[in-house]
Amino acid sequence: MAGALSEVLGEVLVAPDGEEVAVSALAARGVSLLKLWNKYRVSNIPSLIFIDASTGKVVCRNGLLVIRDDPEGLEFPWGPKPFSEVVAGPLLRNNGQTLDSSALEGSHVGVYFSAHWCPPCRSLTRVLVESYRKIKEAGQKFEILFVSADRSEDSFKQYFSEMPWVAVPYADEARRSRLNRLYGIQGIPTLIVLDPKGEVITRQGRVEVLNDIECREFPWHPKPVLELTDSNAVQLNEGPCLVLFVDSEDDGESEAAKQLIQPIAEKIIAKYKAKEEEAPLLFFVAGEDDMTDSLRDYTNLPEAAPLLTILDMSARAKYVMDVEEITPEIVEAFVSDFLADKLKPEPI
C-alpha cells in the first residue's frame, strides 16, 4: 500500500504541525486509499475535493469546477453557500416568461441536473413530469429547477420545452456551474430535493421518484433501511453497503428484517450526522427476485439465507457472515468490527 500511496500523495507529506511524514509511515498506520474513496464518496476520476485540514470536513466536492471558474482564487476558501445565494437571479419558464429566484422561497425544490443527450435523463424526465403534476395537484408547494448540462442552447430549448417547471437560463453558465459545485454533481441525471429552507432532504431524488410513482412519500425523507430494487441498486456503487439477504419474497419477512436492522442503522446515521459527516454505510434488505439473483452472481455470494454481508463495490471487496439466525447483537457486532477494520475482506 505504501507504493500506491506514494504514487498518489508523493513520498513525503507535511503534517499541520510542520512535521514531515513519510507516506510509508501513513500506510503503516492503516491509511487506505480505498477508505478515502469511500469516505468522500468518489465515483469517478479525476476528482478534486477540498477539505478543512483542522476538522476534516468537506469544503467543496467539485474542486475541478472551482479551479476552472476561479483560477485566481478570488472566492477562496470556496466553502458552501446557501442555495438562495447561489441560485439568485432570473429563472425561465418554457414559454419565455421570466421570474426571480425568490419565487422559490417557501417551497420544496427539486434541483434537476439533466441533459437531452442523456437517455436515462430523458426517461426520468417523462416520469418526473407526472410526479410534478401529482404533487402540485395535491396542493403541495413544490417547484423543480432545471440545471442543464446540454451541449448547445438549441438542445436546451428543445429539452426544456417538455418541462412544466423553471430553469436557470442556459446562457448563465456561471450560475449553472456554481450549482454543480454546491452539490458536487458527478453524474446525470441527478435530482436533489430541498426543504423550504434550502436544506438538502435527499440527494437520491431520482431513486425516490422511480420508487414512489404515486408520490405518497413526498418529500422523500431518507429511510434508514432500504429494500433493494432495480431503481435503487445504483446506490450500491456509492460506498460500502450492508445487505441482509432473506429467504422469501414475502413482504412480512422483508419488513421484519428491516425492523431488525433499523435501530442499528439509525444509531450509525445519528452518530455521523452529529459530526456533520455522511454515514459510512448504507443499509439494505434483499428478498428473492431477479435483482437479488444478479447481485449474488456478480459478487459470488452463497445461496444461503439469511445471509449478512457488507459489499464494497469500489474496493471489489465483500464481508460475509453466514449464520443460522440473524440477531440485532450479531448485526451490531458485524458493523462495529467493519468500522474498526477488524474484518478480513474477500474479493468480489
Side-chain angles (χ1 to χ4, degrees):
M1 180 58 73
L5 283 165
S6 298
E7 291 174 12
V8 176
L9 302 177
E11 294 298 333
V12 174
L13 299 178
V14 178
D17 59 5
E19 177 190 4
E20 292 188 346
V21 181
V23 169
S24 59
L26 289 174
R29 295 175 196 174
V31 174
S32 162
L33 286 178
L34 291 173
K35 279 190 173 182
L36 291 175
W37 279 65
N38 288 334
K39 180 176 178 62
Y40 298 113
R41 300 290 171 95
V42 175
S43 60
N44 55 34
I45 56 173
S47 287
L48 177 61
I49 299 172
F50 293 112
I51 299 164
D52 184 332
S54 62
T55 64
K57 293 179 181 177
V58 172
V59 173
C60 175
R61 290 188 176 277
N62 215 327
L64 295 175
L65 282 179
V66 168
I67 297 301
R68 188 196 72 180
D69 296 347
D70 186 26
E72 297 182 4
L74 300 178
E75 297 180 26
F76 182 82
W78 305 306
K81 298 178 180 179
F83 169 71
S84 59
E85 181 178 337
V86 175
V87 78
L91 303 177
L92 293 177
R93 292 202 179 275
N94 62 14
N95 61 3
Q97 177 189 358
T98 63
L99 67 161
D100 190 78
S101 59
S102 60
L104 299 176
E105 293 176 4
S107 297
H108 287 86
V109 177
V111 189
Y112 185 36
F113 299 85
S114 186
H116 187 263
W117 53 261
C118 163
C121 294
R122 296 197 302 273
S123 296
L124 179 61
T125 296
R126 288 190 289 271
V127 177
L128 191 54
V129 166
E130 288 303 307
S131 298
Y132 178 79
R133 179 184 59 79
K134 289 173 183 176
I135 293 167
K136 299 283 275 188
E137 287 178 353
Q140 299 272 14
K141 295 191 71 176
F142 180 51
E143 193 52 76
I144 294 177
L145 176 66
F146 173 40
V147 184
S148 174
D150 287 296
R151 293 165 178 163
S152 71
E153 184 146 11
D154 286 343
S155 293
F156 162 75
K157 289 178 178 177
Q158 179 184 350
Y159 194 29
F160 187 40
S161 69
E162 305 169 11
M163 301 176 182
W165 43 75
V166 299
V168 176
Y170 185 80
D172 196 342
E173 184 176 355
R175 192 160 31 142
R176 290 191 288 122
S177 182
R178 287 196 297 271
L179 285 162
N180 272 272
R181 283 161 45 187
L182 179 62
Y183 298 114
I185 302 303
Q186 297 189 30
I188 56 174
T190 294
L191 178 65
I192 310 285
V193 181
L194 310 179
D195 69 16
K197 295 181 180 179
E199 300 295 326
V200 174
I201 293 177
T202 179
R203 298 177 59 87
Q204 300 296 333
R206 174 190 183 184
V207 171
E208 298 293 351
V209 166
L210 295 175
N211 278 347
D212 183 25
I213 297 298
E214 297 303 319
C215 305
R216 294 192 177 97
E217 298 182 7
F218 176 83
W220 302 304
H221 289 280
K223 300 181 183 68
V225 183
L226 298 173
E227 188 165 349
L228 188 65
T229 64
D230 288 343
S231 57
N232 66 26
V234 66
Q235 292 178 256
L236 294 172
N237 295 312
E238 294 187 359
C241 299
L242 182 143
V243 184
L244 174 56
F245 293 87
V246 295
D247 188 20
S248 176
E249 293 181 345
D250 179 59
D251 289 342
E253 185 161 345
S254 293
E255 187 59 33
K258 282 192 277 188
Q259 292 301 319
L260 184 149
I261 296 174
Q262 184 157 324
I264 298 156
E266 289 174 341
K267 184 189 298 186
I268 295 291
I269 292 167
K271 175 182 176 181
Y272 283 84
K273 184 176 182 179
K275 298 191 290 184
E276 297 183 5
E277 296 180 9
E278 292 189 49
L281 274 174
L282 298 177
F283 295 82
F284 290 89
V285 168
E288 286 185 341
D289 55 27
D290 291 342
M291 169 53 65
T292 299
D293 291 343
S294 296
L295 181 59
R296 283 186 188 268
D297 290 343
Y298 180 76
T299 55
N300 196 26
L301 287 171
E303 291 298 323
L307 184 68
L308 184 61
T309 68
I310 291 174
L311 305 177
D312 188 344
M313 297 301 193
S314 62
R316 297 193 61 79
K318 62 185 177 185
Y319 307 81
V320 182
M321 178 169 285
D322 184 4
V323 294
E324 290 186 3
E325 182 181 3
I326 303 293
T327 65
E329 293 75 22
I330 286 174
V331 175
E332 189 152 19
F334 187 56
V335 169
S336 296
D337 286 349
F338 171 77
L339 296 178
D341 292 323
K342 293 181 180 178
L343 300 180
K344 183 178 179 180
E346 301 174 42
I348 290 179

